[in-house]
Amino acid sequence: MKLGSPFRPRLLSALLISIFLGSAPATPAQERGELRIATSYKLMTLDPQYANLNENTSLLSHIYERLVYQDDNLELKPGLATSWRPLSDTQWEFKLRDKVRFHNGSAFDADDVVYTIERIRDFLKPPSGGFRSYVSGIKSVSAPDPLTVLIETDGAVPNLPLFFSSIFVMNRPAEGFETTEDLNAGHPPNGTGPYRFESWSSGESLRLARNDDYWGGKPAWSKVTFRVIENPAARVAALSTGEVDVADAIPARDVASLKERGARVASVGAARVNFVQFDVARDTLPGVTDKSGEPIANPFKNPLVRRALTLATDRGILVDKILAGYGTAAAQVFPNGLPGTSANLLPEAPNYDEAKMLLAKAGFPDGFNLVLAGPAGRYPGDAESLQAVAQSWARIGVNAQPAAAPFSVFNTKRAAGDYGVWYGGTSGEAVDIILHTLLASPDPERGTGALNFGKYRNEAFDAMLARAESIAVGPERNAALAQATELVMADQPIIPLYHFHHIVGYGSRIGSYVLHPRGWTTAMQTLPAME
């Protein structure tokens, strides 16, 4: 089992940077027709600012672009903004790229950035908060000239450029704000990206056409079709038979057989975490009972129970058996070695005897029953992980019934409070983004806790995180984030399981596929084979 192996960032060549900032320009020999991609990502909406989910981020990045991008070291690079600088503790200036046009022909300028920020901050009200946390601290935004944006914040926001690496820029309409309903109902998405929107069938496909006027160079593929195939085995089969050129989220167990059939595989460690999350707020929970099936008081309010279940979780089985080595055991939200992580937090081997003692001390000497929910086909090894965790917990008398469902079903039920404990996953731009959304106390005004479905609250952690976020990017900020992480993980509001490796398979029409630790699946990462 890989316990706490360090994350070793790779350097990008100029070619790879061009891929992640836009699209690698095609040469005549490389230019190809349609690229067919089988993806696990089910696009939820055509509104690029509504849902902060990887499927929307990944697929809509063909159409829309950000002011700032992250390379595979998670370092910031110019996108639609060519430069940025703080003018004071509460003022930022962004300079914009000239001669960029939206797909409808209109010129991109500062007014579009103003519209983007105001739409997210003042107009949209998505259920999970969407991207509002990124702009909630912005007091005002103005455009002194077409290529300059001035932003004034309520207080110091030293990480503001990082926030903009998550926000897609939209074109300001003639009047008002575009609604999510209008965008989903047929208003053509209008971005500045390397591909234009052609059609979308929710849960089935997304079709794109090359933007020949793209500022970053002519894209390699004339057409791109994403086929949504949520079942991992079906994605592998589609790649094996040549129905698609690329398939994402390949199960580690299928890597060897794919290679035997002539496909190639690329992988990279993920800047993300998969975990078990507890509902610690409600007095009783659905699916949580004593051994006779009678409801009991919420056991997860007791930190001793959370600690016992952590000690009864065998991460080695998850990484070595289910992920076939394509993963790293987790003890915090990002792999060790990335900025903001703690060198003191390392995954523990299971200790069932101590776990039993803690359960007894908490008042559950015989254990209890629960339903362990999670998505199926959303993450590598997700359904199998549910089974493995349940088997581990059974050794201390906690009988867990795995309940896997398609992600769309699981996500809806989780948000509705239908689960008491569940398996999940999340990724983000930086450690503080994950801490801010997953573990900080839910607060719509501050934009914290958007993914804190367990309603965990820890005032000491909130204060430490706020202090860390007030520090400029650098060693001091990283140390403060590490300390905050150590504090919150000692309370065990989640059980970090693993950082899986992104695995993508590709066929003979593809020369290479460039993976990113954020886990995006795009045509821009797919380079045609040379003839």
Side-chain angles (χ1 to χ4, degrees):
M1 177 173 66
K2 300 177 183 177
L3 290 176
S5 60
F7 183 93
R8 296 181 174 88
R10 298 171 289 123
L11 295 177
L12 280 178
S13 67
L15 172 61
L16 301 195
I17 290 175
S18 73
I19 291 170
F20 290 123
L21 297 192
S23 177
T27 65
Q30 288 178 305
E31 199 169 307
R32 292 295 184 273
E34 182 182 12
L35 173 67
R36 304 159 302 166
I37 300 177
T39 182
S40 59
Y41 291 142
K42 183 178 180 180
L43 185 62
M44 302 292 187
T45 174
L46 290 178
D47 186 338
Q49 298 168 355
Y50 184 78
N52 190 6
L53 295 170
N54 223 29
E55 48 264 68
N56 295 337
T57 297
S58 182
L59 300 184
L60 293 180
S61 67
H62 296 79
I63 301 168
Y64 296 96
E65 296 184 287
R66 311 167 182 86
L67 292 179
V68 182
Y69 285 83
Q70 283 183 299
D71 67 14
D72 74 342
N73 295 330
L74 303 186
E75 300 290 341
L76 299 182
K77 301 294 180 182
L80 290 177
T82 56
S83 65
W84 49 89
R85 62 178 180 137
L87 302 179
S88 70
D89 286 345
T90 59
Q91 288 185 319
W92 283 85
E93 176 189 80
F94 286 77
K95 290 293 186 180
L96 306 183
R97 193 174 298 276
D98 196 9
K99 298 180 181 178
V100 175
R101 292 197 170 272
F102 286 92
H103 297 160
N104 67 358
S106 62
F108 160 72
D109 63 23
D111 202 35
D112 299 305
V113 179
V114 173
Y115 169 77
T116 290
I117 293 171
E118 291 179 343
R119 183 175 187 265
I120 296 171
R121 185 191 62 188
D122 304 331
F123 178 70
L124 287 181
K125 291 182 171 39
S128 65
F131 296 88
R132 181 169 293 181
S133 63
Y134 298 129
V135 299
S136 59
I138 294 177
K139 182 178 180 180
S140 65
V141 55
S142 60
D145 65 62
L147 296 179
T148 304
V149 175
L150 291 180
I151 295 175
E152 183 176 356
T153 58
D154 289 322
V157 186
N159 228 19
L160 189 65
L162 177 64
F163 293 165
F164 284 120
S165 71
S166 289
I167 294 173
F168 288 124
V169 176
M170 295 180 68
N171 186 207
R172 180 184 285 277
E175 58 182 32
F177 293 102
E178 284 189 280
T179 69
T180 301
E181 292 73 19
D182 286 342
L183 286 167
N184 289 338
H187 283 203
N190 179 35
T192 60
Y195 290 92
R196 300 171 182 267
F197 174 81
E198 278 204 339
S199 66
W200 171 55
S201 178
S202 179
E204 296 181 9
S205 66
L206 174 68
R207 298 182 185 278
L208 306 165
R210 178 168 55 205
N211 175 14
D212 289 329
D213 298 322
Y214 180 57
W215 63 266
K218 188 177 180 180
W221 305 97
S222 61
K223 300 278 187 181
V224 179
T225 297
F226 283 90
R227 287 178 51 193
V228 178
I229 304 178
E230 294 188 90
N231 182 278
R235 285 195 304 278
V236 170
L239 178 61
S240 299
T241 60
E243 293 178 37
V244 298
D245 303 302
V246 176
D248 66 15
I250 297 295
R253 63 175 179 271
D254 293 319
V255 168
S257 63
L258 272 177
K259 289 181 177 179
E260 289 174 359
R261 298 173 199 170
R264 284 172 289 173
V265 170
S267 69
V268 69
R272 63 172 305 122
V273 65
N274 284 73
F275 52 85
V276 170
Q277 189 172 33
F278 304 104
D279 184 324
V280 299
R282 290 181 286 176
D283 293 331
T284 58
L285 298 174
V288 179
T289 70
D290 63 18
K291 289 299 183 70
S292 65
E294 293 298 318
I296 59 175
N298 181 355
F300 309 129
K301 286 188 174 187
N302 190 330
L304 294 178
V305 173
R306 303 196 297 267
R307 177 64 180 155
L309 292 174
T310 299
L311 287 172
T313 301
D314 190 342
R315 296 172 176 87
I317 290 177
L318 302 178
V319 171
D320 295 336
K321 303 299 183 183
I322 294 175
L323 298 180
Y326 284 90
T328 305
Q332 53 191 314
V333 298
F334 264 10
N336 288 27
L338 280 178
T341 57
S342 169
N344 298 323
L345 290 176
L346 298 174
E348 299 174 275
N351 187 329
Y352 299 107
D353 290 337
E354 185 177 349
K356 288 180 181 179
M357 291 174 57
L358 290 174
L359 269 189
K361 188 175 181 180
F364 299 98
D366 299 322
F368 51 89
N369 298 336
L370 59 84
V371 174
L372 179 60
R378 167 73 171 181
Y379 310 109
D382 49 14
E384 296 92 336
S385 293
L386 290 181
Q387 296 284 347
V389 170
Q391 290 171 11
S392 290
W393 288 359
R395 297 184 61 170
I396 63 169
V398 175
N399 296 330
Q401 177 186 345
F407 178 71
S408 56
V409 175
F410 164 78
N411 196 40
T412 300
K413 288 189 173 184
R414 179 179 59 178
D418 290 355
Y419 304 134
V421 56
W422 55 89
Y423 162 100
T426 189
S427 63
E429 305 86 343
V431 162
D432 51 305
I433 301 295
I434 301 297
L435 297 176
H436 191 91
T437 58
L438 182 65
L439 296 173
S441 299
D443 186 339
E445 292 301 317
R446 293 180 56 234
T448 56
L451 298 180
N452 185 353
F453 295 105
K455 301 297 186 290
Y456 172 76
R457 294 182 179 275
N458 185 327
E459 292 183 1
F461 166 68
D462 290 340
M464 291 184 71
L465 179 59
R467 176 186 173 275
E469 292 178 322
S470 71
I471 302 171
V473 174
E476 184 182 355
R477 180 189 183 96
N478 292 338
L481 288 171
Q483 291 172 1
T485 301
E486 291 171 9
L487 176 78
V488 74
M489 291 316 306
D491 204 23
Q492 222 74 66
I494 63 171
I495 304 176
L497 297 178
Y498 51 75
H499 313 287
F500 67 71
H501 294 178
H502 298 296
I503 308 175
V504 169
Y506 55 97
S508 60
R509 295 180 68 233
I510 309 304
S512 63
Y513 188 90
V514 184
L515 276 161
H516 191 279
R518 292 286 304 280
W520 299 315
T521 302
T522 74
M524 293 82 79
Q525 296 163 253
T526 312
L527 303 183
M530 300 293 287
E531 291 185 346

